[in-house]
Amino acid sequence: LHKRSLTICIIDKETGETFTTRFGCQDEARIVEFFERQKPFQAVVEATATYDWLWVLLEPLAERLVLAHPKKLRIIAESKKKTDRFDARNLAWMLAKDEIPEAYRPSPRQREYQHLIKHRHALVRQISRLKVQVRSILAARNLDRRDIFTAQGALCIDALDIPEAERFRLRELFSLLEVISDHLGTANREIKKFREAATEAQKESHAIAKSVPGVGDVVADVVLATLRGISRFPSIKKVTAYAGVVPGVRQSDTKRRDLRITKEGPRILRWALIEAAWRA
């Protein structure tokens, strides 16, 4: 599955015959019609960045629908012959043999939660970048001050002895900061509203997460939205491995080399955990 095209390989488990075809992603009606003719069938979809629309399309039609973990499909990733037809055929054969490494698919509510916290995180990063630019301009003139982002600090821009082009840039940056800060406030209110509409069990999970030293609403939201329920992990080691905060290791016979943290899994989760650790 690509952004614009979809390659499909069908295998008849009884005869072993294969058939491969291709559709444009915009031809949803033709895709549905094609799969209607294949009933009953099982299907596998690789968890690409744009897989969700296809999953929603196939879920009512398929007897069984499997989400494949792209990183664990080593047979495709390491193949010297890699084409869309070849990849689709490999996926189909692996499904026929029940050898697909499955990926976890979050519920619709979890996906909404993730969109909200990612949007808030993006706004915070934009604000940080703008503040760095402001401080860089002022520091180059030895005019940086601690209260520059307060109401009083912003008023001093016109009184600074700097070239007009730099003054113009500072005014524009402060204007952008004001707009994005307003959007951040809106995002925070939307997340709060989403949290208030949660079930009692979800509210309890949020309260438990907040009880950890250094953890507030933001970190609790990130952890709950990305982990999607602690019960899906068999052990705490699996949780830390998923977050990518465990060290890697290379061992052969008597030789062992410890590596840095793996940095696997959601980057936003590692950011939240590290921020919480510093705060604690």
Side-chain angles (χ1 to χ4, degrees):
L1 173 64
H2 295 289
K3 191 175 180 180
R4 295 181 179 85
S5 66
L6 168 66
T7 302
I8 303 167
C9 178
I10 293 180
I11 293 179
D12 188 319
K13 287 180 71 174
E14 294 181 2
T15 64
E17 292 180 0
T18 64
F19 169 74
T20 306
T21 187
R22 187 181 179 92
F23 290 97
C25 289
Q26 302 303 318
D27 299 329
E28 290 192 16
R30 287 181 59 212
I31 294 171
V32 170
E33 183 185 352
F34 176 82
F35 278 103
E36 285 278 6
R37 295 198 303 268
Q38 312 308 322
K39 287 183 175 180
F41 69 91
Q42 298 182 25
V44 55
V45 179
E46 192 174 355
T48 61
T50 57
Y51 83 89
D52 195 59
W53 70 270
L54 183 60
W55 184 280
V56 172
L57 209 66
L58 295 182
E59 197 168 25
L61 306 175
E63 280 190 332
R64 178 189 176 213
L65 196 54
V66 180
L67 187 64
H69 197 303
K71 197 158 189 177
K72 294 179 180 178
L73 292 170
R74 301 183 67 89
I75 189 171
I76 291 177
E78 297 178 355
S79 174
K80 292 183 179 179
K81 183 181 179 182
K82 192 177 188 309
T83 66
D84 290 342
R85 293 172 68 89
F86 185 79
D87 288 357
R89 190 164 66 249
N90 269 332
L91 280 171
W93 275 116
M94 290 174 73
L95 178 64
K97 297 174 183 176
D98 202 20
E99 294 176 351
I100 294 289
E102 292 192 43
Y104 177 81
R105 175 174 163 77
S107 67
R109 179 177 171 80
Q110 285 293 141
R111 294 179 71 84
E112 286 185 54
Y113 205 177
Q114 289 171 19
H115 278 296
L116 289 172
I117 62 124
K118 285 177 181 177
H119 179 62
R120 184 195 180 280
H121 185 58
L123 292 174
V124 170
R125 292 186 67 183
Q126 288 181 54
I127 289 172
S128 297
R129 280 196 292 267
L130 291 171
K131 286 184 175 180
V132 167
Q133 290 179 55
V134 169
R135 288 202 177 278
S136 177
I137 294 168
L138 293 174
R141 298 288 176 182
N142 197 28
L143 294 171
D144 194 13
R145 47 190 286 178
R146 289 187 177 183
D147 66 345
I148 191 63
F149 297 115
T150 64
Q152 183 180 354
L155 291 173
C156 77
I157 297 299
D158 290 331
L160 295 176
D161 183 21
I162 56 176
E164 191 56 37
E166 293 178 25
R167 194 188 321 279
F168 166 76
R169 191 178 171 201
L170 285 171
R171 288 199 199 103
E172 290 294 297
L173 290 171
F174 271 98
S175 177
L176 285 171
L177 273 171
E178 186 176 352
V179 171
I180 297 174
S181 295
D182 287 343
H183 283 293
L184 179 59
T186 304
N188 285 331
R189 289 191 291 274
E190 194 66 24
I191 292 172
K192 184 178 179 181
K193 191 195 308 180
F194 185 87
R195 203 187 298 132
E196 288 171 351
T199 64
E200 289 303 317
Q202 290 165 341
K203 289 178 181 177
E204 184 182 357
S205 295
H206 191 272
I208 291 171
K210 275 187 68 177
S211 70
V212 178
V215 174
D217 281 328
V218 173
V219 174
D221 284 331
V222 172
V223 169
L224 294 176
T226 50
L227 289 183
R228 311 157 196 161
I230 200 75
S231 59
R232 74 185 183 96
F233 296 95
S235 69
I236 191 62
K237 288 184 178 181
K238 296 291 185 182
V239 180
T240 51
Y242 176 79
V245 292
V246 295
V249 63
R250 289 286 181 272
Q251 184 175 358
S252 179
D253 194 23
T254 58
K255 294 181 180 178
R256 176 189 171 96
R257 183 161 66 98
D258 293 319
L259 308 175
R260 295 183 177 184
I261 62 172
T262 62
K263 295 188 178 181
E264 297 286 338
R267 183 181 298 179
I268 191 173
L269 177 57
R270 281 193 303 285
W271 165 82
L273 294 176
I274 292 167
E275 287 295 318
W278 277 113
R279 188 176 174 190

